[in-house]
Amino acid sequence: MRRALTTLAAAGLVAGAAAHALPAVTAFAPGRRALLPGLAGTGPAERVALTFDDGPDPASTPLFLRMLADYDVRATFFLLGTMLEQDLGLGREIVAAGHEVAVHGWYHRCLLWRGPRATHDDIARARDLVGGLGGGAPRWYRPPYGVLTTGALLACRRLGLEPKLWTAWGRDWRAAATPDSIVATVTSTLVGGGTVLLHDSDCTSAAGSWKRTLDALPRLIDWSRARNLRLGPLGDHEPVRP
C-alpha cells in the first residue's frame, strides 16, 4: 500500500509539472506561427508590428526613440519592472513619443521555475507600474525568453492582459550578433502580418548588443517599406478589444 501511494504521489507530481510547463511548447516559433497565429503576433498582411524587449534603459532607449522619430515609426516596448522602476521618466518619454508600452514582467526570469502565485505577483506588479505611465492600461504581456506557463496564462486572464510573442526575431542578444546578422535573421522569416522582436537594452544580453540592433534598425525599416509593409505598434496590428 505504501508503495502504491508513493507511486500515485509521484505520478501526481509529474502530471502537475507537465500541466504547468505545457504552454512552454509555444516557444517553438515555427509551430507557433502555424498553429497559434494570434499568440505569435500575426496580423494584417500589409502590416508589421515592431517590438522591443528589456527596457527602458537610459543608456540606449533614448537613442532608439530618436531613431524611430527620425523615421516616423512607432513601436511597442515590452518593459521590465526592474528597469522601469529605475527611470519612470524614461517610461513616460516612450509614451509621450507615441509608442505603446506593454508588460515583460518584473524580473527577467524563466517562468518554468516559478509557481502560480509568484508568477501572478510578478506580472501584476509590472502591469501596475507600466499602467501608471500615462498610456492607459497595458494590453500585452510577453514572458521572459518567450516561455509561457499555465500560471502565466491564468494570471494574464485575471489581469486583463493578452500574451503576445513574435514571428521573427534578430537574435540580437548574442555576443556574436552583427547588424548584418540581425537584418538577415529577421528578414529570413518576416513576412507581411508578422511581429518582430528586438531589444533596446542589453540588461539581459551581451554587453553592447543594443548598439548592433540600433545599427540594424534603419535597414529593417527600409526593407519593410520597400515591400510596402507598414511598421507600427501591436495596437495598430491587432483588432481592438470590444
Side-chain angles (χ1 to χ4, degrees):
M1 177 65 71
R2 182 177 298 174
R3 181 178 298 175
L5 290 174
T6 301
T7 301
L8 286 172
L13 288 173
V14 170
H20 168 72
L22 183 60
V25 300
T26 61
F28 180 63
R32 179 175 72 236
R33 291 196 298 267
L35 300 176
L36 298 166
L39 176 63
T42 302
E46 71 277 6
R47 291 185 177 275
V48 167
L50 180 62
T51 71
F52 295 93
D53 283 9
D54 291 0
D57 190 328
S60 52
T61 302
L63 299 176
F64 282 86
L65 295 179
R66 190 177 310 159
M67 180 171 288
L68 291 169
D70 289 344
Y71 280 85
D72 194 24
V73 171
R74 303 293 177 266
T76 299
F77 287 80
F78 283 87
L79 305 180
L80 275 176
T82 51
M83 296 294 288
L84 178 59
E85 184 183 41
Q86 298 175 46
D87 199 333
L88 287 171
L90 181 53
R92 287 189 283 268
E93 286 181 34
I94 295 172
V95 172
H99 301 289
E100 185 178 46
V101 288
V103 179
H104 199 32
W106 191 267
Y107 296 106
H108 201 279
R109 296 175 183 169
C110 182
L111 298 182
L112 286 175
W113 320 122
R114 310 196 81 187
R117 174 62 64 85
T119 295
H120 178 278
D121 291 350
D122 179 278
I123 297 172
R125 186 180 180 190
R127 181 207 61 171
D128 292 347
L129 196 64
V130 172
L133 295 177
R139 180 177 177 184
W140 316 109
Y141 169 70
R142 178 176 288 161
Y145 307 106
V147 176
L148 284 165
T149 62
T150 298
L153 294 176
L154 291 173
C156 284
R157 181 177 298 179
R158 293 171 184 145
L159 296 169
L161 295 168
E162 183 177 342
K164 193 66 62 177
L165 301 182
W166 60 87
T167 67
W169 61 2
R171 296 179 63 84
D172 55 340
W173 65 87
R174 302 174 302 137
T178 66
D180 286 345
S181 76
I182 294 167
V183 171
T185 303
V186 169
T187 58
S188 68
T189 57
L190 181 61
V191 296
T195 291
V196 177
L197 163 64
L198 297 170
H199 296 80
D200 63 306
S201 168
D202 63 6
C203 70
T204 65
S205 306
S209 58
W210 65 265
K211 297 177 183 177
R212 274 113 42 198
T213 304
L214 189 68
D215 287 344
L217 188 55
R219 292 164 58 187
L220 291 172
I221 294 172
D222 290 342
W223 184 93
S224 299
R225 288 178 170 173
R227 289 156 180 79
N228 295 316
L229 298 173
R230 288 186 286 169
L231 283 163
L234 278 164
D236 293 345
H237 192 56
E238 297 280 333
V240 176
R241 289 185 299 189

